[in-house]
Amino acid sequence: MSDPNLLAGRYRLLERRDRTGTAWRARDELLNRDVTITEVRLPPPGPHRDWLLGQIHAAADLRHPGVATLHDVISAPDRMWLVLESVEGRSLIQAVRSDGPLSSERAAEIGLRVLDTLTAAHERGFHLAATPETVLLTPDGRVVLTGVAAPVPAGDLGDLGATLFTAIEGRAPDTGFQAVPRMADGTPLAAPAAGPTGSGPLAPLVEGLLSADPAHRPDATSVRLSLERVAPHSAASRSTASRSTASRSAASRSRRGPLVIAAAATAVAAVAAGAFWLWPRPVAPAPTVPVPLPASFAKAPDPCALISREQAAELSLNPRPSKEGPGRCAWKSDNTGQPTNMRYQLWIQTIRFSSGEKAHAGYTRFLKEDGGRTKTSTGLPLILTRPPKALPGIAAEAYAMEATNQLTYYTGVVFRAANLVVAVQYQRGGETDPRGGTREAALRTGRWVLGSLSRAR
C-alpha cells in the first residue's frame, strides 16, 4: 500500500504551510534536504495554460539570488507539484510589524536588491511582484521575491514604491497600517488613518513611484541612482557582491544538474491556484511598550470571543469554536482528512479572580504546577521539551512552555492581566515541532487575546 504522505516516492509531506492546503514543508528523502512543495491546479488547455507554461520557459535560464530555485516538477494532466528551495525568513511587512520602520539606508539597500531581481526577471519576459508581502528577508541577508504579478508594462515599478513606503513609514500605503500602538512583539493594535510619506531622503522617490499615473513614475535608471545615493554601500561593491552570490548559486546548481527558478513556478501558482507562500521562521521580538489593559475586569471575558474567525483560519483551524466548560473554548483543525501531524487544536481559558493579588497567587501556582507536570490529565507521560520560561513585556507577567506526550506536541502560554489569568494552548499531532510552529502560533494567539482584552470595557 502506497504512503499517502510520500510524493513521487521521494518527497515526504511534513506540514502544511498555508491555509489553502496547497503549499507544504517537505523532506527530500533522496537528497536529505528540506524543500517546499506547492500543488498547482492547472487551467484547461488553451491560451491561459499556454501563457503560464510560457512563463516557466521564459524563466528557465535565470540564475539570481533574489529568487528561490525550483528543484523539480511533478506533472499530472490537471495539476503540477512544484518542488522548491526551502527559504526561511520574514516578509517585509512582518519585519516592520515586529521591529518597526526601517532606516532609509536599510530600505534603500533592500530596494536595490529588489530592483536587481525585477530587472533580471523583466529581461526574460516575466513579472515578479515586489509588494511588502512578497519581499522576503532571510537571516543570511538575501532578499527574495516570492510572488508573481499579472503582466504589467515593462519597467513599471509601482510595487517597489509600495514596498519602500512600507519600509520607511511602518505602514502600507492606503491600508492604514501603522507600527504603533504595539503589542509586546510590535504587532499593531489599531489601524490609524494613512498619511503622506515622511521627509526622509527617499520621500521624493517613493512619492514618484506611487504616482497614480504610471507615465509619471521614474524609470529603473533613475530609481537605481536615487537608491544608490542613500544605500550605505557603494553600487560597485553591492554589484560585486551580487555577482559573487549569483556565481556561487550558479556553480551549486550546475553540480545538481539543470534547474529552473521558483519565480516561473510561482507564476503558475499565483495565477492558477492563489498565492504561493514561504514559511517565515519565528524571530525574537523587539522590546516594546506593553499593551494598555483595564485596571480590573468586572467579569471573565468569553474565551470564544477573544480571537476572530479570520484569526482562527490563519492557524489552520475551523473558525467555529466550541465551549468546553466554564471559561474554556476550543478550536480544532478545519480539515480532518489531513494526516495526524498536520492537524491542529487551540484552547483558550480565562479565569477571573477577585483581585490582582489573588490573580498573581493563582498565576504563580499554575507556573509551579506546569514546571513539575509529568503526566497529562488522562495519565499519559508528559515530557517537558521547554520548561516554563518568563515572557517579559507581555501583560503583568507571563510564561511559555512546550511539552509532548509522544502523540501530540503543544506550546502553552499563560499570562496575568490585572485580576485575570489567561491560558492559551496550541497543539499539533506528532511528538516533535521541528520548525517551532506551535510556539509561533501560541504566541501569536496570546497577542490577539491581549488585543481583545485591551478593548474590553
Side-chain angles (χ1 to χ4, degrees):
M1 182 177 179
S2 61
D3 186 339
N5 294 326
L6 194 65
L7 184 62
R10 172 177 175 178
Y11 304 107
R12 183 163 299 280
L13 303 179
L14 299 176
E15 184 176 30
R16 186 170 58 178
R17 286 189 162 180
D18 70 345
R19 287 180 285 167
T20 67
T22 60
W24 303 80
R25 182 176 69 84
R27 186 74 177 168
D28 182 344
E29 296 192 339
L30 178 62
L31 297 181
N32 194 32
R33 65 181 176 187
D34 289 340
V35 294
T36 294
I37 293 181
T38 299
E39 179 185 347
V40 177
R41 301 291 181 116
L42 294 176
H48 192 190
R49 180 183 287 201
D50 292 343
W51 179 83
L52 292 173
L53 296 178
Q55 290 283 288
I56 293 179
H57 291 298
D61 294 331
L62 180 62
R63 300 291 183 267
H64 196 280
V67 290
T69 300
L70 177 64
H71 295 309
D72 196 3
V73 177
I74 302 164
S75 298
D78 63 340
R79 71 192 68 192
M80 302 168 68
W81 290 271
L82 314 174
V83 183
L84 305 162
E85 173 191 5
S86 180
V87 181
E88 304 291 348
R90 296 185 297 175
S91 69
L92 178 68
I93 193 72
Q94 288 173 322
V96 168
R97 283 175 173 165
S98 174
D99 304 335
L102 306 182
S103 68
S104 295
E105 292 77 11
R106 175 59 175 153
E109 184 179 24
I110 292 172
L112 284 169
R113 303 260 187 105
V114 170
L115 183 60
D116 283 343
T117 305
L118 291 175
T119 301
H122 282 157
E123 287 174 352
R124 287 159 178 80
F126 61 98
H127 310 277
L128 289 168
T131 67
E133 293 79 14
T134 62
V135 173
L136 188 76
L137 310 178
T138 73
D140 62 0
R142 287 175 66 188
V143 178
V144 180
L145 302 189
T146 65
V148 172
V152 295
D156 188 337
L157 298 173
D159 275 358
L160 180 57
T163 294
L164 291 172
F165 184 102
T166 300
I168 61 178
E169 292 299 308
R171 57 184 172 87
D174 300 327
T175 66
F177 171 79
Q178 189 165 326
V180 290
R182 296 173 178 278
M183 296 290 199
D185 73 331
T187 303
L189 273 175
T197 308
S199 58
L202 290 177
L205 171 64
V206 173
E207 290 174 1
L209 288 170
L210 292 177
S211 172
D213 184 355
H216 294 161
R217 297 172 189 164
D219 60 20
T221 300
S222 300
V223 171
R224 184 178 300 278
L225 290 172
S226 296
L227 292 172
E228 287 176 348
R229 282 195 290 267
V230 179
H233 305 299
S234 70
S237 61
R238 184 185 54 78
S239 298
T240 300
S242 179
R243 286 194 299 271
S244 176
T245 303
S247 298
R248 288 194 300 271
S249 298
S252 175
R253 280 188 284 268
S254 67
R255 290 192 293 270
R256 295 194 298 260
L259 298 172
V260 295
I261 65 163
T266 309
V268 181
V271 179
F276 155 65
W277 299 90
L278 294 174
W279 191 247
R281 182 186 297 277
V283 295
T288 54
V289 178
V291 177
L293 294 167
S296 181
F297 292 87
K299 62 178 181 179
D302 178 4
C304 295
L306 291 177
I307 68 170
S308 68
R309 295 170 62 89
E310 292 76 18
Q311 289 167 341
E314 283 189 35
L315 300 179
S316 301
L317 301 168
N318 189 315
R320 294 181 297 276
S322 59
K323 289 197 173 182
E324 295 196 344
R328 183 175 170 89
C329 196
W331 292 256
K332 298 187 178 180
S333 177
D334 59 357
N335 188 344
T336 56
Q338 297 285 9
T340 300
N341 68 336
M342 297 173 192
R343 298 179 192 171
Y344 308 95
Q345 295 188 63
L346 169 70
W347 288 270
I348 299 176
Q349 184 173 10
T350 57
I351 306 172
R352 179 186 172 275
F353 294 82
S354 58
S355 67
E357 292 77 11
K358 291 185 178 180
H360 169 71
Y363 167 88
T364 303
R365 184 175 69 254
F366 299 149
L367 174 60
K368 182 178 179 180
E369 290 175 352
D370 278 340
R373 199 178 301 278
T374 60
K375 292 184 179 180
T376 68
S377 59
T378 58
L380 291 174
L382 191 69
I383 301 170
L384 288 180
T385 59
R386 287 175 179 257
K389 182 177 180 181
L391 295 174
I394 296 181
E397 47 194 343
Y399 68 88
M401 61 171 290
E402 297 179 37
T404 179
N405 60 12
Q406 299 184 313
L407 297 176
T408 60
Y409 190 100
Y410 77 86
T411 295
V413 173
V414 179
F415 64 86
R416 180 180 70 83
N419 61 327
L420 193 70
V421 174
V422 177
V424 171
Q425 180 176 313
Y426 185 84
Q427 77 173 39
R428 56 167 289 176
E431 60 179 299
T432 62
D433 186 31
R435 297 286 172 154
T438 68
R439 186 183 323 132
E440 194 274 339
L443 290 171
R444 192 191 316 177
T445 303
R447 297 192 295 267
W448 290 335
V449 170
L450 278 169
S452 294
L453 293 178
S454 73
R455 297 184 290 271
R457 293 292 181 269

